[in-house]
Amino acid sequence: MNSPFPNGVAKRTGKRKLSKARNGPLSRSTGFNDQTVTATLDTLENLIPLFDAYRAFYGADSDRAAARAFLLERFVLRESVVFLAYQGEQAVGFTQLYPLFSSTAMQRTWLLNDLYVVPELRGQRVGEALIERALEHARISGAARVELSTAHTNLSGQKLYERMGFERRDTQFRTYVKEV
């Protein structure tokens, strides 16, 4: 299978059942007992600090105003799908998907571009709950696969993705980038 994001691309294998779909707890399948919800303009302010922290994790400078503008544009133009995880009333993690298409499969695919959980809740299955929501969304939309890449140094993320059934595909293709 050809992919526009081959370096570090992962394909999910196997299936997991969700304990409750659509804005509800995912306790049986993931162990995370609070909620994952689809982010909207109404939850944008809860997403911004998480998105800003995610960018900082990857070395970008903090800029909440720019983060707000970027996310607002994605929502208004419907260019991404974001899921938020809540513990009580507190947003504690998010994942963002971007739509792609596979010419060889002639189907939609989704790029799981961002996944972030606040440090104090890592290892508490929040990331798993968010990935399950992303996979549910991909299945419902008829996608062929979900792809992702992560930093070579993000060992905990790599373990999570492999535990969730993603397989490494970075040996078949090389990734090239040219800034424009």
Side-chain angles (χ1 to χ4, degrees), residues 38-95:
T38 303
T40 65
L41 288 173
D42 292 335
T43 58
L44 178 62
E45 296 306 317
N46 296 334
L47 175 59
I48 292 167
L50 296 170
F51 184 77
D52 195 55
Y54 166 81
R55 293 181 64 252
F57 178 83
Y58 281 104
D61 292 333
S62 176
D63 187 341
R64 288 191 180 190
R68 184 181 199 291
F70 178 83
L71 291 167
L72 181 60
E73 186 174 23
R74 301 293 72 71
F75 283 148
V76 169
L77 297 176
R78 296 182 181 186
E79 293 178 334
S80 73
V81 175
V82 178
F83 298 107
L84 275 167
Y86 282 88
Q87 186 175 56
E89 297 294 316
Q90 183 67 40
V92 297
F94 81 97
T95 191

Side-chain angles (χ1 to χ4, degrees), residues 11-60:
K11 178 184 175 188
R12 184 180 191 279
T13 58
K15 303 254 181 189
R16 286 179 139 192
K17 294 264 185 186
L18 293 173
S19 64
K20 182 175 178 183
R22 312 290 307 192
N23 296 341
L26 297 175
S27 58
R28 282 192 205 122
S29 64
T30 67
F32 176 64
N33 291 317
D34 286 273
Q35 292 210 332
T36 58
V37 301
T38 303
T40 65
L41 288 173
D42 292 335
T43 58
L44 178 62
E45 296 306 317
N46 296 334
L47 175 59
I48 292 167
L50 296 170
F51 184 77
D52 195 55
Y54 166 81
R55 293 181 64 252
F57 178 83
Y58 281 104

Side-chain angles (χ1 to χ4, degrees), residues 82-142:
V82 178
F83 298 107
L84 275 167
Y86 282 88
Q87 186 175 56
E89 297 294 316
Q90 183 67 40
V92 297
F94 81 97
T95 191
Q96 182 163 218
L97 301 166
Y98 292 111
L100 301 172
F101 294 90
S102 169
S103 297
T104 55
M106 294 188 296
Q107 285 183 275
R108 172 184 298 280
T109 64
W110 288 95
L111 174 64
L112 194 157
N113 199 70
D114 311 324
L115 176 67
Y116 180 79
V117 175
V118 294
E120 58 272 18
L121 289 180
R122 291 181 188 157
Q124 303 298 311
R125 303 195 177 244
V126 178
E128 287 183 18
L130 287 164
I131 291 171
E132 283 292 351
R133 282 302 298 270
L135 295 172
E136 174 193 28
H137 178 78
R139 283 190 290 274
I140 289 169
S141 72

